[in-house]
Amino acid sequence: EGEGAATLRTVMRSVTPLPAPRMMDLPQFQGDHKESLYWGTYRPNVYLGIRSRTPLSLIAGLMWIGLKNGQYFLRHVCQDSDELSTFGWTAHNGRDYGHQALVDHGLFLTTGFIKDKGEGSGYGGDWAVRLDANSERSSLSDAQGSTTHLFFYIADESGKSITMGSHAPSSRGPVLLASGSHDEIGDWELYLRSEDNLEIHRAGFKSMSMHNLSDLVQQAVATNAMQTGNLNLPDTTEDSSNIMIYQVSIKTPAQIDIVFLSGSASKNPTVEERISKLTGPMLSARLESKQKEFEERYDQIFNVNNKIDSKELSVGRAALSNLLGGVGYFYGQSKIALPKGFTQKNGDKYIPYWPAALYTAVPSRSFFPRGFLWDEGFHQLVIWRWDVHISMDIIGHWLDLLNSDGWIPREQILGAEALSKVPEEFVLQYPSNGNPPTLFLAIRDLASGIHAKQFSDDEAEKISAFLERAYMRLNSWFQWFNSTQSGKYKGTFYWHGRDNMTTRELNPKTLTSGLDDYPRASHPSDDERHVDLRCWMLLATNCICSIAEFLKMDSALEKDYYKMSNQLSDFGALNKWHLDDKIGAYFDYGNHTEKVRLRWYDVQDKDTLRRELLRETLQPPQLQLVPHIGYVSLFPFMMGAIPPESWVLEKQLDLISNTSILWTDYGLRSLSRTSSIYMKRNMEHDPPYWRGAIWINMNYMILSALHHYSHEDGPYKGRAGELYDKLRSNLIRNIVKNYHETGFFWENFDQKNKGKGKGARSFTGWTSLLVLIMAESYPTLHR
Ligand code: 6A9
């Protein structure tokens, strides 16, 4: 067999699903469960976007014209550059209710969303949207823009045409906007009802690309404006349009209800009755009662002992709501990189993964509105406590993405809408690249007996069926790490794939670890061993053992896992590979020198002379522990791998509490102030990311461990408890403060500048762990 044939086989294997029963085929994900989650705000990339969990769905959404510094802008896709002073869900239960507030330069919008599987409705039930618009502009004269233009659209991704309702430019009764029929739900109708004066204009389009609806509206309004002088849609429609857009022009304050009826052909109850149930005063009453239900459930799950004052409580609710409101449904094919040097006949350097669905929470609606593997494990720590069915559905989707090698692509860019947000260099996924298997954190909780009493019999039964089916998939996932990410010696691991040829980076990145530019050995090599990966492997084996115990399984495979788990939790082995016993800190190991720096070089390129920032190595690297103290050093502590009576534990508490090393008043720094790489740029255009800033996922893990050690008998119990209390209140205070001051949750926090939010704003992924920090709910990773 030639080399080409072998490569081809490897490539094909990387895009072949794992041959094992699919998680999503489990009975628990069919029937009522599936129907109850059919509709949702599953398009988190737009300010308000509704779709169903099906590949070719009806989609609906909101746009409006915003006015900033005397200029008009169309709002639709969540964008930082829109400079909204806030947007996000203040309540959302992940199922059938949500309330969102948006503030756009003096325009105050709220969007309510509610579902109703009422009598007469078709598959998935009906839903309604309530829009409230208020404005500082109300006092302005018409010419100054006292009219507010909202747009609501409905479109069929399958291309089926939609019928436009009868024209009713201003009307107080319910107006039929559109109707159609869809294979899964039957006939449907969309109505609008408002008691306010309004003007409606419309446009219909035929198009299969849904990711540029903004352009479509913008062009239609602009073209019409040039002809008529009005900012209106032209009231025209293309033949067999599958996209219908309605412009509703109002004077604020105004309230508009939009209701979608499925199975609308039914006569009893009448359509009129159904509309009145989901609009006007009856909708108000429903929204109120759903809000109350949401708050009560939140208290019951996360605020059991009224731990938090009311100002903080609402921020906790917003964090949960934004996480749940950020859950999306995506469908498409990842692009998998071909081995270096290979190109398809058509020039593509990638091969598509199989078409797949992903139901997932996104880290950020405006910056990264798509699925990220290791982010998801943290999201699920919150979500399973709220709704274990949603959580299993999400984890199940991820596990169905395992390929026949046991690999899951790290970043999920599925479908044109998702792709439109990603710079080209980030699109391809490499089948040799891992990402921390954080799903084990959440799965471990489900498998551990500790939470068992929290579940109803029905839930427990489903969890058990879920774990039973997940077992072989988790095994394959684990084996992928165990075989492809192993180090030179048994029981050692490192993130493979670091670039050892680069001359541009101060310290070659490790994107696979999730900690991107956190410093590792300066000169990547096969001698490396990474302490964080070893600890993730420990978690994985522990979790698999827990499932085996739970399912009472006891074959050779389980025996292997018990053995591996014992080996990985062996304190002596951990210390042998990773402990610096002079300072009591855990480190990576590898070919390393501290004497590197970036320097400007003159580079002759044909006839031009350029200056480039390149790395200069001042001293040859040597095999050694890599002396950077930071999050990676704390992994054995995070995982509870240090015996409570060990002197090493005391050292960890020293490192944590030392203000020159990790401690700040806002949470723990990612990297010690004393590290040679602290706050250093990696390249000219690559500012420090995990080189100092405070990140909430790692702080949560460290806080969990402090909590754990404050309950374990030993000499350091009391000190762990004190640090726990302080760290917890610092984190809560700072995240809440930033939310109140800026209207957003942030990706990370500045360790110097008064704990100021940094990076992506509206980062509602793992920063929402705030909910668990407030509730003092921690993972059961400590056996
Ligand atoms: C950039 C830019 C409009 C980086 O939260 C997702 C990930 C984490 O998994 C990872 O640990 N973030 C962290 O280091 C964000 C990654 C974004 C990459 C794509 C696209 C688009 O700008």
Side-chain angles (χ1 to χ4, degrees), residues 131 154 197 221 239 588 704 751:
L131 302 173
I154 187 148
N197 284 319
V221 172
D239 278 348
D588 289 342
S704 308
Q751 74 284 5

Side-chain angles (χ1 to χ4, degrees), residues 146-206:
S146 74
T147 302
T148 299
H149 303 278
L150 306 176
F151 299 80
F152 196 84
Y153 60 84
I154 187 148
D156 193 323
E157 289 181 320
S158 75
K160 250 189 162 172
S161 65
I162 294 177
T163 308
M164 193 173 260
S166 54
H167 198 62
S170 66
S171 158
R172 277 165 195 257
V175 185
L176 174 68
L177 293 179
S179 61
S181 106
H182 185 272
D183 291 346
E184 287 165 15
I185 60 170
D187 295 340
W188 58 266
E189 290 175 350
L190 186 74
Y191 289 88
L192 177 147
R193 181 178 165 192
S194 173
E195 300 303 316
D196 298 304
N197 284 319
L198 42 88
E199 194 177 312
I200 301 180
H201 292 278
R202 321 177 290 182
F205 301 95
K206 173 131 196 84

Side-chain angles (χ1 to χ4, degrees), residues 67-348:
L67 184 61
K68 183 171 92 187
N69 309 330
Q71 259 195 300
Y72 293 115
F73 295 91
L74 187 70
R75 313 295 196 199
H76 178 217
V77 175
C78 303
Q79 283 184 135
D80 220 31
S81 54
D82 291 346
E83 292 178 3
L84 266 57
S85 36
T86 187
F87 74 88
W89 298 95
T90 55
H92 201 301
N93 66 11
R95 284 186 174 271
D96 60 4
Y97 170 67
H99 180 269
Q100 183 177 223
L102 309 101
V103 180
D104 184 4
H105 302 85
L107 174 67
F108 301 88
L109 280 177
T110 66
T111 67
F113 173 73
I114 200 158
K115 294 202 295 181
D116 179 41
K117 175 68 195 163
E119 235 180 299
S121 63
Y123 186 81
D126 304 332
W127 50 260
V129 166
R130 163 157 294 175
L131 302 173
D132 266 300
N134 261 291
S135 171
E136 284 170 0
R137 300 182 218 159
S138 306
S139 54
L140 303 179
S141 73
D142 215 33
Q144 287 171 296
S146 74
T147 302
T148 299
H149 303 278
L150 306 176
F151 299 80
F152 196 84
Y153 60 84
I154 187 148
D156 193 323
E157 289 181 320
S158 75
K160 250 189 162 172
S161 65
I162 294 177
T163 308
M164 193 173 260
S166 54
H167 198 62
S170 66
S171 158
R172 277 165 195 257
V175 185
L176 174 68
L177 293 179
S179 61
S181 106
H182 185 272
D183 291 346
E184 287 165 15
I185 60 170
D187 295 340
W188 58 266
E189 290 175 350
L190 186 74
Y191 289 88
L192 177 147
R193 181 178 165 192
S194 173
E195 300 303 316
D196 298 304
N197 284 319
L198 42 88
E199 194 177 312
I200 301 180
H201 292 278
R202 321 177 290 182
F205 301 95
K206 173 131 196 84
S207 165
M208 291 304 280
S209 58
M210 300 293 164
H211 62 280
N212 47 16
L213 291 175
S214 321
D215 300 346
L216 217 57
V217 171
Q218 209 145 343
Q219 273 164 22
V221 172
T223 311
N224 197 45
M226 280 192 288
Q227 287 161 5
T228 66
N230 295 322
L231 274 184
N232 289 337
L233 285 173
D235 291 309
T236 55
T237 172
E238 293 174 10
D239 278 348
S240 37
S241 292
N242 62 322
I243 300 170
M244 289 293 172
I245 301 172
Y246 302 88
Q247 176 178 13
V248 184
S249 306
I250 49 159
K251 304 259 186 249
T252 53
Q255 186 172 84
I256 294 155
D257 295 337
I258 289 166
V259 51
F260 178 90
L261 301 182
S262 65
S264 56
S266 103
K267 294 277 170 289
N268 189 23
T270 63
V271 162
E272 289 69 33
E273 286 167 329
R274 285 166 67 190
I275 295 171
S276 100
K277 240 175 84 182
L278 284 171
T279 56
M282 281 170 83
L283 178 60
S284 307
R286 264 173 188 251
L287 290 168
E288 250 170 62
S289 99
K290 277 286 175 189
Q291 176 69 26
K292 198 157 159 270
E293 208 178 274
F294 169 80
E295 290 175 11
E296 283 169 5
R297 188 172 165 81
Y298 187 93
D299 281 346
Q300 184 201 327
I301 295 177
F302 296 122
N303 191 32
V304 203
N305 302 319
N306 294 314
K307 286 190 172 139
I308 293 293
D309 76 44
S310 66
K311 226 175 129 207
E312 293 175 337
L313 178 66
S314 64
V315 184
R317 281 194 207 123
L320 171 72
S321 303
N322 277 306
L323 180 65
L324 291 166
V327 170
Y329 175 90
F330 305 90
Y331 190 86
Q333 293 172 274
S334 292
K335 295 180 177 182
I336 309 302
L338 292 171
K340 256 211 175 81
F342 286 80
T343 315
Q344 295 215 56
K345 283 210 191 77
N346 64 7
D348 287 350

